[in-house]
Amino acid sequence: MAPIPFLSLLLLFSLTFPSSSSAFEQQQSPLLKYHHGPLLKGNITVNLVWYGKFSSTQRSIIVDFLNSLSNPKTTSSPSVSSWWRTTAKYKGGSSSVVVGKQTLDDKYSLGKALKTSQLKVLAFKYGYGDGKAVNVVLTSSDVAVDGFCMSRCGTHGSVQVKNSRFPYAWVGNSVSQCPGYCAWPFHQPVYGPQTPPLVAPNGDVGVDGMVINLATVLAGTVVNPYNNGYFQGPAEAPLEAVSACTGIFGKGAFPGYPGKVLVGETTGASYNAVGVNGRKYLLPAMWDPQTSTCKTLS
């Protein structure tokens, strides 16, 4: 299982880094090793379980992001789809994402305090799919999850049924629990340099933070679905395609500064990718296996 350790901010800000941004970017360019396992390639369906209270606007922000990943019609640059195309540089070719079934569980069927085992129950409550589906559980801001805000902002993993394995993922809304951990750079971090936070591109600190973490776990699911794909470090706590590039959103990034990104003229909101329906998002750097560097969109 691969957790997102609250964007690894505790690690990021507790280490001593070089003072220059170029030295930081060089240090933040790890080598992800391929461990000879299968990757998720081809057509991938992402099924969503909305657990708790989400407004229709919040759901549309996330669904538009997912619909943008493999949308060739997005003409604006830089685009969400150009960010996702980096996953095609890993072995096996491209991964085309489509949104599948969406399930609303706004009655908190398992309560407001969830264990990891219950996340798996929710993920597969409505079926397993064909092995090319990723069931994603999204928890609202009033739901506590084991390890949330303490050691992770989201996670992905898989379950085995007979001779098949089925991937799943989870991401939580941190706005009322730990935005300084899981929604940075849209909120001041708990540790490290206290630079002003960026303005969230969709006006929702919690959900815009969820997009960053969802992007992280989806990329990790594609390139390391069963803990034997691409990663660095121990398999139980790996650094993957995006988590290996923690804290980098644009060129010139250094601890406490996400890097140079675009800013909306009228809104002042920060972004580096455009998606469907004119949506704007801030997406983290992804490790490029062809150049062995953390690739940014801006």
Side-chain angles (χ1 to χ4, degrees):
M1 183 177 297
I4 310 172
F6 40 77
L7 288 179
S8 299
L9 282 177
L10 280 177
L11 175 64
L12 176 63
F13 293 128
S14 62
L15 295 179
T16 300
F17 285 99
S19 58
S20 71
S21 61
S22 60
F24 171 66
E25 288 175 333
Q26 184 177 12
Q27 186 165 338
Q28 288 290 291
S29 297
L31 180 64
L32 299 193
K33 181 180 178 181
Y34 178 52
H35 294 78
H36 307 292
L39 279 59
L40 286 185
K41 295 294 180 173
N43 296 324
I44 300 170
T45 300
V46 174
N47 300 312
L48 301 175
V49 178
W50 302 93
Y51 190 83
K53 305 292 185 182
F54 288 92
S55 69
S56 58
T57 298
Q58 289 177 321
R59 294 197 301 270
S60 67
I61 292 169
I62 290 177
V63 171
D64 281 350
F65 164 67
L66 293 171
N67 283 331
S68 301
L69 290 172
S70 302
N71 191 318
K73 298 180 180 179
T74 304
T75 57
S76 299
S77 180
S79 66
V80 174
S81 59
S82 64
W83 175 84
W84 184 249
R85 278 197 293 272
T86 300
T87 62
K89 297 182 179 182
Y90 291 74
K91 289 184 181 293
S94 63
S95 303
S96 182
V97 172
V98 295
V99 177
K101 182 167 56 178
Q102 298 186 57
T103 304
L104 304 182
D105 189 343
D106 56 3
K107 302 298 183 184
Y108 306 90
S109 62
L110 298 181
K112 292 187 177 182
L114 302 178
K115 299 178 180 179
T116 299
S117 59
Q118 292 175 305
L119 293 176
K120 297 178 185 179
V121 170
L122 288 171
F124 299 108
K125 185 176 181 179
Y126 305 99
Y128 289 94
D130 58 0
K132 280 297 187 74
V134 181
N135 293 351
V136 179
V137 179
L138 302 167
T139 51
S140 60
S141 59
D142 56 347
V143 175
V145 176
D146 276 355
F148 189 37
C149 296
M150 293 182 288
S151 60
R152 58 183 182 172
C153 300
T155 193
H156 75 87
S158 63
V159 298
Q160 184 157 354
V161 179
K162 296 182 179 180
N163 295 323
S164 300
R165 296 195 70 86
F166 300 92
Y168 75 94
W170 157 73
V171 169
N173 186 334
S174 67
V175 69
S176 62
Q177 299 182 54
C178 59
Y181 288 130
C182 295
W184 186 83
F186 305 128
H187 191 281
Q188 285 186 303
V190 175
Y191 298 93
Q194 297 298 302
T195 53
L198 304 183
V199 177
N202 294 287
D204 191 315
V205 169
V207 173
D208 278 306
M210 288 182 77
V211 169
I212 293 173
N213 295 323
L214 181 57
T216 302
V217 296
L218 278 181
T221 301
V222 165
V223 305
N224 187 32
Y226 311 118
N227 278 358
N228 55 7
Y230 282 88
F231 65 88
Q232 180 192 59
E236 60 273 14
L239 293 177
E240 298 174 328
V242 175
S243 58
C245 300
T246 290
I248 302 175
F249 293 85
K251 296 186 184 306
F254 56 83
Y257 174 60
K260 185 178 181 181
V261 297
L262 301 172
V263 178
E265 293 183 4
T266 58
T267 63
S270 296
Y271 68 100
N272 60 6
V274 179
V276 299
N277 299 322
R279 289 279 189 196
K280 295 178 180 178
Y281 299 98
L282 185 68
L283 300 180
M286 189 186 305
W287 189 75
D288 186 330
Q290 293 182 354
T291 61
S292 295
T293 59
C294 291
K295 182 179 180 180
T296 63
L297 287 172
S298 59

